Amino acid sequence: MAETTNKTEATEQTASRRNEKVGLVVSTKMQKTIVVEIEMRKAHPKYKRVIKSNKKFYAHDEQNSARVGDVVRIREVRPLSKLKRWSLEEIVRRSSLALAEEKEPAVEAK
């Protein structure tokens, strides 16, 4: 029994070794692809002032579930295309615009 629990812990550790990032969805214009912008803060080596820098990552979104403005978690995967090396893991927080769009069609249907 102890060996099986050790094996499951080992597989969980290897699965979680992939790099994860949390960022904001800035584009969903492509099919099954989202563009996520990550804001990184880093202290300047000499002056110690905190500098913000942004980087965009292309991520695979199989169900096209993410909307612009959502905060999402992406995980590093094998290369899927020329630019896509990330996959959508989960939607951390929906944007207020996406929630408003979901409510409007229900009002129009009545």
Side-chain angles (χ1 to χ4, degrees), residues 46-102:
K46 182 176 181 181
Y47 301 114
K48 308 300 185 220
R49 188 180 190 283
V50 176
I51 300 169
K52 291 192 300 186
S53 63
N54 295 328
K55 184 159 173 55
K56 291 181 182 177
F57 295 94
Y58 288 74
H60 184 68
D61 180 10
E62 185 64 38
Q63 285 86 28
N64 286 324
S65 56
R67 301 281 174 254
V68 175
D70 291 351
V71 177
V72 296
R73 177 178 289 116
I74 56 175
R75 176 176 285 199
E76 196 172 25
V77 294
R78 65 180 177 82
L80 299 171
S81 71
K82 179 182 174 183
L83 297 172
K84 281 202 296 191
R85 273 96 172 110
W86 298 83
S87 178
L88 176 67
E89 192 66 24
E90 70 169 323
I91 299 172
V92 177
R93 190 179 72 230
R94 285 276 185 197
S95 72
S96 56
L97 296 173
L99 294 173
E101 289 175 5
E102 291 175 1

